Amino acid sequence: MSKSLLSSDSGAGVAKSVGLGVIGFADAFTRLQPDLVVVLGDRFEMFAAAQAAMFMRLPMAHLFGGDVTEGAIDKSTRHAISKMAHLHFTSNQGSTQRLIQLGEHPSRIHTIGSVGIDAIKHLDLMDRDGIGRALGMPLGERNALITFHPVTVEAGRSVAELDELFAALSTLDPAFRFAFTLANADAEGRALNARIEAFAADRPNTIAVASLGQLRYLSLMSQVDVVIGNSSSGVLEAPSFGVPTVDIGDRQKGRERAASVFHAAPERNAIAGAIAEALQRGRQATGNPYGDGASSRQFAEIVAGIPDFRQLLAKGFYEFRQVERGHDDAHADHRGSRRQS
């Protein structure tokens, strides 16, 4: 997919990258002739894959449909992918309900949790010294894993919110060590990365890495005192380690969250206060609403039980009706008052 990304992180650049992605995926699907296309999440790259598969009449399974992230355009691409897909694997019951409201048939929706948690259960994670050597910065007395992605629903907000995070971090104990993973390829990502790299360059207790990869990322998460930022990993994976998360702003707003996830408005005092709360809570076992690490097995069993994926292509709209007593009563009261007048 990297070859489909234009040298631009503007909205127009991302839109053109989607177009290139559709072409690239169409070529790949023509060559591979897949029986089933599996699309995970909501990124614009996956949006391109889903479009190509839809027009080529390829059966498609979608993971993480129905989730809500009010601070990112991912919510729109996610719902759009769900409408193109024929089979759904959701991370929680609330997402399953939303897909039904979108007209997806309940028989095609399977609530399996987050497949990302499976790696936590099965990977041989690196120990404290090992991850320190891999980072090139030994872990300290206190450590934070930080990821801050663009807030894509409103242009111009991301840099200001990141600066508020920097201000909050600057008030913490000097014993803290900060490990940043850089922002994704969304619009304004480059501006964020330039600021993060400048922040790290001036501080010997800070490192910025473009990508840690799954093993190093989860290994570091297992060792830090707090996860900070606006990445979904702080909401989805961090609770399985018992490590507290400070989730900043609206990017992940709407997701179900464990008790270990603390929300903060994108303002320095609010962020600093949430970090203090998270550190006071400390690392402790907590329930994770996104599953227990058996998602991949469930996915494989369900897919293996489908005799012919082509039968999935015939897809209707499921009419969802829910009568809410209070809603109906309010209308009845309103009608009654009109008659009296």
Side-chain angles (χ1 to χ4, degrees):
M1 258 323 279
S2 61
K3 291 183 179 179
S4 75
L5 293 175
L6 297 180
S7 182
S8 168
D9 67 348
S10 66
V14 172
K16 292 176 182 179
S17 293
V18 172
L20 291 175
V22 173
I23 295 171
F25 279 114
D27 289 342
F29 294 154
T30 298
R31 184 176 69 255
L32 297 172
Q33 292 295 305
D35 297 305
L36 179 71
V37 174
V38 180
V39 181
L40 185 149
D42 45 46
R43 297 283 306 148
F44 64 80
E45 302 93 334
M46 293 299 97
F47 186 48
Q51 289 182 75
M54 177 187 67
F55 287 119
M56 295 175 71
R57 297 293 292 159
L58 295 172
M60 189 185 342
H62 184 207
L63 286 80
F64 282 99
D67 285 3
V68 175
T69 49
E70 295 184 15
I73 61 171
D74 296 351
K75 64 180 180 182
S76 299
T77 54
R78 185 186 306 111
H79 293 332
I81 292 170
S82 290
K83 293 309 299 180
M84 292 185 246
H86 309 95
L87 191 62
H88 307 279
F89 296 89
T90 65
S91 64
N92 60 89
Q93 193 58 47
S95 293
T96 294
Q97 188 68 16
R98 292 185 200 98
L99 286 182
I100 295 172
Q101 289 177 264
L102 285 172
E104 299 303 296
H105 199 284
S107 66
R108 295 191 177 206
I109 308 171
H110 305 275
T111 307
I112 64 170
S114 170
V115 293
I117 298 173
D118 294 20
I120 295 173
K121 302 294 183 180
H122 302 295
L123 274 179
D124 186 12
L125 299 178
M126 305 165 72
D127 62 18
R128 184 181 181 87
D129 292 337
I131 188 59
R133 288 193 297 271
L135 289 174
M137 181 183 73
L139 299 187
E141 182 182 339
R142 291 279 202 170
N143 304 278
L145 171 58
I146 307 170
T147 306
F148 196 88
H149 293 305
V151 184
T152 51
V153 292
E154 184 178 334
R157 280 178 49 185
S158 302
V159 169
E161 292 188 6
L162 178 62
D163 286 345
E164 291 296 302
L165 170 58
F166 288 154
L169 295 179
S170 298
T171 67
L172 296 180
D173 190 313
F176 250 104
R177 296 197 177 178
F178 306 124
F180 279 87
T181 58
L182 296 183
N184 60 27
D186 284 339
E188 300 184 50
R190 290 186 180 185
L192 295 186
N193 288 339
R195 283 179 118 74
I196 292 169
E197 289 172 337
F199 182 85
D202 290 340
R203 293 165 176 79
N205 67 335
T206 303
I207 190 171
V209 181
S211 175
L212 289 170
Q214 186 182 56
L215 176 60
R216 290 193 299 167
Y217 184 82
L218 292 178
S219 297
L220 180 58
M221 182 179 281
S222 73
Q223 298 293 333
V224 298
D225 298 279
V226 61
V227 174
I228 303 172
N230 61 7
S231 171
S232 62
S233 62
V235 178
L236 300 177
E237 282 89 36
S240 292
F241 288 112
V243 61
T245 295
V246 173
D247 176 54
I248 300 170
D250 293 338
R251 197 171 196 278
Q252 302 301 327
K253 185 178 179 181
R255 286 195 189 274
E256 289 193 38
R257 50 194 62 208
S260 58
V261 179
F262 296 81
H263 181 261
E267 183 274 324
R268 63 191 67 187
N269 292 328
I271 296 170
I275 292 173
E277 284 188 77
L279 293 174
Q280 184 176 19
R281 182 186 194 277
R283 299 175 65 92
Q284 56 180 279
T286 186
N288 191 332
Y290 296 98
D292 57 5
S295 301
S296 297
R297 176 182 55 78
Q298 294 180 65
F299 173 83
E301 290 175 352
I302 292 166
V303 169
I306 299 173
D308 181 6
F309 295 130
R310 303 294 299 182
Q311 293 180 352
L312 297 171
L313 290 173
K315 174 182 167 180
F317 188 93
Y318 180 75
E319 295 289 349
F320 173 74
R321 294 183 178 87
Q322 183 179 37
V323 177
E324 297 182 12
R325 179 65 180 271
H327 180 75
D328 287 348
D329 286 349
H331 277 285
D333 291 342
H334 179 64
R335 289 192 301 268
S337 64
R338 282 195 306 178
R339 284 194 297 268
Q340 291 172 1
S341 63

